[in-house]
Amino acid sequence: MSKRWKMKSELKYKEEILNELNGLADEQINNLMKIIRIFKESIIQQRELDFGFQREIEEWDKLSDEAIINFEKIL
């Protein structure tokens, strides 16, 4: 994805978000900001969990490979 396309895409979404905010009361916008922050934090946490899970799988694969190699040596 080119940097220029990404910037154009981000601008489009920012404009759409701003259009959605038109007519909302300050309290509603404040609540929406809280929702956005919670959503963003959940994405970050999920990404961290996914990376941790991936590392754990890789470690299990490594241990499994070592176990098979050691088993084959016994044969």
Side-chain angles (χ1 to χ4, degrees):
M1 180 183 331
S2 74
K3 188 174 182 178
R4 184 177 180 185
W5 183 85
K6 183 178 178 185
M7 290 174 60
K8 187 175 182 180
S9 178
E10 287 176 5
L11 181 60
K12 176 188 167 215
Y13 290 121
K14 287 177 184 179
E15 287 176 3
E16 286 182 30
I17 291 169
L18 290 175
N19 287 335
E20 291 294 328
L21 296 177
N22 284 333
L24 292 179
D26 286 346
E27 183 179 339
Q28 293 168 323
I29 292 175
N30 187 37
N31 290 334
L32 181 58
M33 292 303 297
K34 289 176 186 176
I35 292 169
I36 290 170
R37 287 183 192 111
I38 291 169
F39 178 72
K40 188 176 176 180
E41 288 171 9
S42 71
I43 290 172
I44 291 168
Q45 288 176 351
Q46 184 61 49
R47 189 178 303 147
E48 290 171 356
L49 289 172
D50 289 346
F51 287 135
F53 183 65
Q54 183 62 36
R55 284 191 300 268
E56 189 173 325
I57 289 174
E58 290 170 0
E59 184 64 26
W60 276 103
D61 283 346
K62 182 180 171 183
L63 292 173
S64 176
D65 291 345
E66 290 175 13
I68 290 171
I69 291 169
N70 289 336
F71 178 74
E72 289 175 345
K73 287 179 184 178
I74 295 171
L75 297 177

